[in-house]
Amino acid sequence: MQLIRYRVGGGAPQVGVLDGDQVRALPGVATMAEVLARPMTWIRGACETVLAGEAAGARGSSLREISVLAPVDGETEVWAAGVTYERSMHARVEESQDSADVYDRVYTAPRPELFFKSAAWRVAGPGHRVNVRADSQVDVPEPELAAVLNADGDVVGYTICNDMSSRSIEGENPLYLPQAKIYLGGCAAGPGIRPAWELTDPYGLTIEMTISRGGEAAWTGQASTAGLRRTVPELASFLFLEDEFPAGVLLSTGTSLVPDLPFTLRAGDEIRISISEIGELVNHVVRGKAALRA
Ligand code: DO4
Ligand code: MG
């Protein structure tokens, strides 16, 4: 099952439990931020109540009748970890020349790299457009396993995050990281949240990404979360050390797939990311924020 945000027709966004092809609204909450404000026992209990209702024949909506939205809303933030896989460290050393050693050092340091990635309102959901900055020359999607944490810092579940990144802007100077990473259309997440009580081993998942151009695969790659150098509780403990997240937080764990240079995304590309036991996130690329709104 998955916890999802969705809309039926032109109705207001709702939060529900998707089981097979059927989604049923979670009682007592209107937003995912409200869910993530609650303790784990409440969240699990509410999901189980919905599933028990399903077993008793309560009617739901089928996937065909709904649009699935990004699984975050309200005050929930998206944060991301960096250089948590060897591949990310090598790719960044290659692109950054003068400041290459910062990536080497953070890969092995006790303190992880954690950065603010997005406010919930800026996160693109399944099927929505993502953006490459018009002032950037080299851009890639970063397909990442993301842990969804509640206000207590407990792992509620897992989803997919695409940490869109400008390699040319970050490569010019690592202090440009926020501009390389935080901009309109620069983050996508979804489709839903696979609960941690069902997905108990996040370190054996297969991540696959295909970038299609004109109907053909322009880049394809596969990796395993077994290569993650840090654990999810380790990343979460640093994030919560001196901060709090009353509406929960989506913590993306870093990328293990980086296309070799000179590959860059182009407008019109389709990005298809799948993670085993979680699902698939598909987004389409535009260039420049004006094209996002068109
Ligand atoms: O160090 C810069 C960001 C790294 C990152 O986003 C990643 O490794 O996924
Ligand atoms: Mg990343």
Side-chain angles (χ1 to χ4, degrees):
M1 63 142 282
Q2 301 226 351
L3 260 170
I4 62 167
R5 283 183 68 241
Y6 66 104
R7 202 194 282 282
V8 184
Q14 307 181 53
V15 181
V17 171
L18 176 67
D19 189 36
D21 167 61
Q22 293 286 301
V23 59
R24 289 170 178 80
L26 207 63
V29 284
T31 65
M32 194 65 86
E34 284 175 62
V35 174
L36 298 178
R38 309 279 179 121
M40 271 303 275
T41 45
W42 186 93
I43 299 171
R44 185 169 180 170
C47 291
E48 284 170 354
T49 303
V50 171
L51 292 177
E54 174 187 350
R59 215 189 93 62
S61 305
S62 86
L63 264 180
R64 268 177 295 108
E65 298 169 297
I66 65 167
S67 323
V68 180
L69 307 170
V72 283
D73 55 22
E75 304 278 294
T76 304
E77 296 175 4
V78 178
W79 283 68
V83 201
T84 49
Y85 289 88
E86 202 175 2
R87 171 67 189 133
S88 177
M89 187 263 288
H90 286 313
R92 290 183 152 86
V93 165
E94 185 190 359
E95 79 197 11
S96 58
Q97 296 156 12
D98 296 346
S99 40
D101 71 317
V102 300
Y103 297 101
D104 266 331
R105 280 169 25 219
V106 83
Y107 182 64
T108 51
R111 183 190 291 276
E113 177 197 359
L114 296 174
F115 56 92
F116 177 79
K117 174 67 187 174
S118 187
W121 68 266
R122 214 187 275 115
V123 178
H128 293 173
R129 289 179 279 193
V130 289
N131 182 20
V132 294
R133 294 180 62 118
D135 60 347
S136 170
Q137 290 77 48
V138 183
D139 297 85
V140 286
E142 294 191 355
E144 305 186 2
L145 171 71
V148 182
L149 310 168
N150 69 358
D152 295 332
D154 295 323
V155 181
V156 173
Y158 299 92
T159 189
I160 301 171
C161 181
N162 175 358
D163 171 23
M164 293 284 287
S165 300
S166 162
R167 294 189 75 180
S168 44
I169 294 176
E170 183 187 336
E172 197 179 329
N173 188 320
L175 294 181
Y176 294 154
L177 187 88
Q179 293 175 75
K181 298 265 187 191
I182 309 166
Y183 59 89
L184 201 63
C187 182
I193 302 169
R194 182 81 199 270
W197 59 90
E198 290 189 358
L199 201 176
T200 51
D201 178 14
Y203 309 113
L205 306 176
T206 302
I207 304 182
E208 290 178 300
M209 179 166 72
T210 301
I211 301 168
S212 302
R213 188 167 290 163
E216 309 222 323
W219 191 90
T220 178
Q222 190 191 80
S224 167
T225 56
L228 185 59
R229 195 185 147 75
R230 306 189 188 256
T231 65
V232 170
E234 176 189 355
L235 295 171
S237 68
F238 273 96
L239 187 62
F240 277 71
L241 207 56
E242 282 295 327
D243 210 345
E244 60 182 16
F245 300 90
V249 59
L250 188 154
L251 175 56
S252 200
T253 58
T255 192
S256 50
L257 289 171
V258 185
D260 279 325
L261 291 169
F263 181 91
T264 185
L265 285 170
R266 290 199 203 137
D269 287 354
E270 178 198 80
I271 304 165
R272 189 171 288 268
I273 300 170
S274 69
I275 303 186
S276 53
E277 298 194 47
I278 298 178
E280 188 174 71
L281 175 66
V282 182
N283 297 100
H284 299 273
V285 179
V286 298
R287 184 174 177 82
K289 72 174 187 182
L292 263 185
R293 298 207 176 101

